Amino acid sequence: MRWLALVLLPFPALAQQVENPRPYGWWLGDELVQRIRIQGQVDPSSLPRPRAVDYWLDLREVARRDVPGGTELTLRWQNFYSALEPRERQVPASAIRLVDGAALELPGFRYVTAPIRPILAPSTPNQLQPDPPFHLIDPVRAGLRLLAWAMALVAGVLALAWQQGWFPFHRRAARPFTRA
């Protein structure tokens, strides 16, 4: 009878639909979303917790939603592998339980991560870009504008000092509010 239980154990795993992220084109920091639909109710305490799975992979979120006839899980993984060349990485499978006690394994998946930019810049002469043309800027006009704005600032500060009675304008004829 035990052999029958061992033979029938994998069948709950056949009753799931898995939507894995595309297997290529991922970069450092990308978030990979895996959706799994399971026939049956999942025990919430058996779900994997968000955590650092490895030095290059974090499980950021596990969302559970009850749908007619089962449960839909959404797992959000984040890639922290800083690749020097395109490299295949393996996300591990996770074991969970259904409410009725049946064991089930959430499948892992593989994906290829690539460097954000090439490590070596092109060095052959036909691949190098020419320097952009440069133009000399005449500093005289900019200097004259700076001088005009500086003079306007000094004139504004002097006008404010006179109006407020600050130094050197504090000794002036008495005004009506000063007398009051």
PDB file of all heavy atoms in Angstrom, residues 1-13:
ATOM      1  N   MET A   1       0.808  -1.190   0.000  1.00  0.00           N
ATOM      2  CA  MET A   1       0.000   0.000   0.000  1.00  0.00           C
ATOM      3  C   MET A   1       0.859   1.265   0.000  1.00  0.00           C
ATOM      4  O   MET A   1       0.458   2.273  -0.549  1.00  0.00           O
ATOM      5  CB  MET A   1      -0.902  -0.050   1.236  1.00  0.00           C
ATOM      6  CG  MET A   1      -2.096   0.851   1.102  1.00  0.00           C
ATOM      7  SD  MET A   1      -3.039   0.361  -0.316  1.00  0.00           S
ATOM      8  CE  MET A   1      -4.611   0.847   0.129  1.00  0.00           C
ATOM      9  N   ARG A   2       2.069   1.210   0.617  1.00  0.00           N
ATOM     10  CA  ARG A   2       2.932   2.388   0.633  1.00  0.00           C
ATOM     11  C   ARG A   2       3.383   2.765  -0.766  1.00  0.00           C
ATOM     12  O   ARG A   2       3.545   3.929  -1.071  1.00  0.00           O
ATOM     13  CB  ARG A   2       4.164   2.129   1.496  1.00  0.00           C
ATOM     14  CG  ARG A   2       3.880   2.260   2.922  1.00  0.00           C
ATOM     15  CD  ARG A   2       5.150   2.118   3.686  1.00  0.00           C
ATOM     16  NE  ARG A   2       4.828   1.954   5.069  1.00  0.00           N
ATOM     17  CZ  ARG A   2       5.464   2.520   6.047  1.00  0.00           C
ATOM     18  NH1 ARG A   2       6.497   3.249   5.793  1.00  0.00           N
ATOM     19  NH2 ARG A   2       5.084   2.328   7.274  1.00  0.00           N
ATOM     20  N   TRP A   3       3.618   1.772  -1.582  1.00  0.00           N
ATOM     21  CA  TRP A   3       4.066   2.081  -2.944  1.00  0.00           C
ATOM     22  C   TRP A   3       2.996   2.846  -3.695  1.00  0.00           C
ATOM     23  O   TRP A   3       3.300   3.701  -4.526  1.00  0.00           O
ATOM     24  CB  TRP A   3       4.473   0.804  -3.686  1.00  0.00           C
ATOM     25  CG  TRP A   3       3.325  -0.145  -3.921  1.00  0.00           C
ATOM     26  CD1 TRP A   3       2.886  -1.127  -3.105  1.00  0.00           C
ATOM     27  CD2 TRP A   3       2.445  -0.130  -5.040  1.00  0.00           C
ATOM     28  NE1 TRP A   3       1.790  -1.754  -3.636  1.00  0.00           N
ATOM     29  CE2 TRP A   3       1.507  -1.157  -4.850  1.00  0.00           C
ATOM     30  CE3 TRP A   3       2.356   0.623  -6.196  1.00  0.00           C
ATOM     31  CZ2 TRP A   3       0.488  -1.422  -5.747  1.00  0.00           C
ATOM     32  CZ3 TRP A   3       1.357   0.342  -7.105  1.00  0.00           C
ATOM     33  CH2 TRP A   3       0.432  -0.681  -6.869  1.00  0.00           C
ATOM     34  N   LEU A   4       1.706   2.562  -3.404  1.00  0.00           N
ATOM     35  CA  LEU A   4       0.614   3.292  -4.044  1.00  0.00           C
ATOM     36  C   LEU A   4       0.631   4.761  -3.616  1.00  0.00           C
ATOM     37  O   LEU A   4       0.439   5.655  -4.439  1.00  0.00           O
ATOM     38  CB  LEU A   4      -0.734   2.647  -3.700  1.00  0.00           C
ATOM     39  CG  LEU A   4      -1.949   3.274  -4.383  1.00  0.00           C
ATOM     40  CD1 LEU A   4      -1.819   3.176  -5.892  1.00  0.00           C
ATOM     41  CD2 LEU A   4      -3.225   2.615  -3.912  1.00  0.00           C
ATOM     42  N   ALA A   5       0.902   5.010  -2.334  1.00  0.00           N
ATOM     43  CA  ALA A   5       0.985   6.391  -1.855  1.00  0.00           C
ATOM     44  C   ALA A   5       2.153   7.124  -2.510  1.00  0.00           C
ATOM     45  O   ALA A   5       2.052   8.293  -2.867  1.00  0.00           O
ATOM     46  CB  ALA A   5       1.113   6.425  -0.337  1.00  0.00           C
ATOM     47  N   LEU A   6       3.273   6.445  -2.677  1.00  0.00           N
ATOM     48  CA  LEU A   6       4.422   7.075  -3.326  1.00  0.00           C
ATOM     49  C   LEU A   6       4.163   7.348  -4.799  1.00  0.00           C
ATOM     50  O   LEU A   6       4.647   8.331  -5.356  1.00  0.00           O
ATOM     51  CB  LEU A   6       5.670   6.202  -3.155  1.00  0.00           C
ATOM     52  CG  LEU A   6       6.214   6.104  -1.734  1.00  0.00           C
ATOM     53  CD1 LEU A   6       7.362   5.091  -1.684  1.00  0.00           C
ATOM     54  CD2 LEU A   6       6.674   7.451  -1.258  1.00  0.00           C
ATOM     55  N   VAL A   7       3.401   6.484  -5.451  1.00  0.00           N
ATOM     56  CA  VAL A   7       3.071   6.680  -6.859  1.00  0.00           C
ATOM     57  C   VAL A   7       2.085   7.833  -7.022  1.00  0.00           C
ATOM     58  O   VAL A   7       2.179   8.629  -7.953  1.00  0.00           O
ATOM     59  CB  VAL A   7       2.520   5.378  -7.477  1.00  0.00           C
ATOM     60  CG1 VAL A   7       1.941   5.618  -8.851  1.00  0.00           C
ATOM     61  CG2 VAL A   7       3.606   4.319  -7.534  1.00  0.00           C
ATOM     62  N   LEU A   8       1.103   7.935  -6.102  1.00  0.00           N
ATOM     63  CA  LEU A   8       0.077   8.959  -6.223  1.00  0.00           C
ATOM     64  C   LEU A   8       0.510  10.325  -5.694  1.00  0.00           C
ATOM     65  O   LEU A   8      -0.147  11.324  -5.966  1.00  0.00           O
ATOM     66  CB  LEU A   8      -1.193   8.510  -5.496  1.00  0.00           C
ATOM     67  CG  LEU A   8      -1.903   7.298  -6.093  1.00  0.00           C
ATOM     68  CD1 LEU A   8      -3.103   6.940  -5.242  1.00  0.00           C
ATOM     69  CD2 LEU A   8      -2.315   7.558  -7.525  1.00  0.00           C
ATOM     70  N   LEU A   9       1.600  10.407  -4.936  1.00  0.00           N
ATOM     71  CA  LEU A   9       2.044  11.657  -4.349  1.00  0.00           C
ATOM     72  C   LEU A   9       2.314  12.747  -5.387  1.00  0.00           C
ATOM     73  O   LEU A   9       1.944  13.894  -5.183  1.00  0.00           O
ATOM     74  CB  LEU A   9       3.288  11.416  -3.483  1.00  0.00           C
ATOM     75  CG  LEU A   9       3.788  12.610  -2.683  1.00  0.00           C
ATOM     76  CD1 LEU A   9       2.705  13.061  -1.710  1.00  0.00           C
ATOM     77  CD2 LEU A   9       5.057  12.264  -1.941  1.00  0.00           C
ATOM     78  N   PRO A  10       2.940  12.460  -6.527  1.00  0.00           N
ATOM     79  CA  PRO A  10       3.214  13.528  -7.478  1.00  0.00           C
ATOM     80  C   PRO A  10       1.976  14.063  -8.204  1.00  0.00           C
ATOM     81  O   PRO A  10       2.040  15.102  -8.829  1.00  0.00           O
ATOM     82  CB  PRO A  10       4.177  12.903  -8.485  1.00  0.00           C
ATOM     83  CG  PRO A  10       4.650  11.651  -7.882  1.00  0.00           C
ATOM     84  CD  PRO A  10       3.632  11.229  -6.901  1.00  0.00           C
ATOM     85  N   PHE A  11       0.827  13.379  -8.151  1.00  0.00           N
ATOM     86  CA  PHE A  11      -0.321  13.823  -8.943  1.00  0.00           C
ATOM     87  C   PHE A  11      -0.871  15.193  -8.578  1.00  0.00           C
ATOM     88  O   PHE A  11      -1.325  15.901  -9.467  1.00  0.00           O
ATOM     89  CB  PHE A  11      -1.425  12.764  -8.936  1.00  0.00           C
ATOM     90  CG  PHE A  11      -1.101  11.629  -9.848  1.00  0.00           C
ATOM     91  CD1 PHE A  11      -0.826  10.388  -9.333  1.00  0.00           C
ATOM     92  CD2 PHE A  11      -1.049  11.819 -11.215  1.00  0.00           C
ATOM     93  CE1 PHE A  11      -0.494   9.339 -10.172  1.00  0.00           C
ATOM     94  CE2 PHE A  11      -0.721  10.785 -12.055  1.00  0.00           C
ATOM     95  CZ  PHE A  11      -0.433   9.531 -11.538  1.00  0.00           C
ATOM     96  N   PRO A  12      -0.843  15.652  -7.313  1.00  0.00           N
ATOM     97  CA  PRO A  12      -1.274  17.030  -7.080  1.00  0.00           C
ATOM     98  C   PRO A  12      -0.421  18.037  -7.840  1.00  0.00           C
ATOM     99  O   PRO A  12      -0.891  19.092  -8.224  1.00  0.00           O
ATOM    100  CB  PRO A  12      -1.136  17.205  -5.573  1.00  0.00           C
ATOM    101  CG  PRO A  12      -1.267  15.838  -5.021  1.00  0.00           C
ATOM    102  CD  PRO A  12      -0.661  14.938  -6.058  1.00  0.00           C
ATOM    103  N   ALA A  13       0.844  17.702  -8.066  1.00  0.00           N
ATOM    104  CA  ALA A  13       1.709  18.615  -8.808  1.00  0.00           C
ATOM    105  C   ALA A  13       1.276  18.731 -10.263  1.00  0.00           C
ATOM    106  O   ALA A  13       1.552  19.724 -10.918  1.00  0.00           O
ATOM    107  CB  ALA A  13       3.150  18.141  -8.726  1.00  0.00           C
TER     108      ALA A  13
END
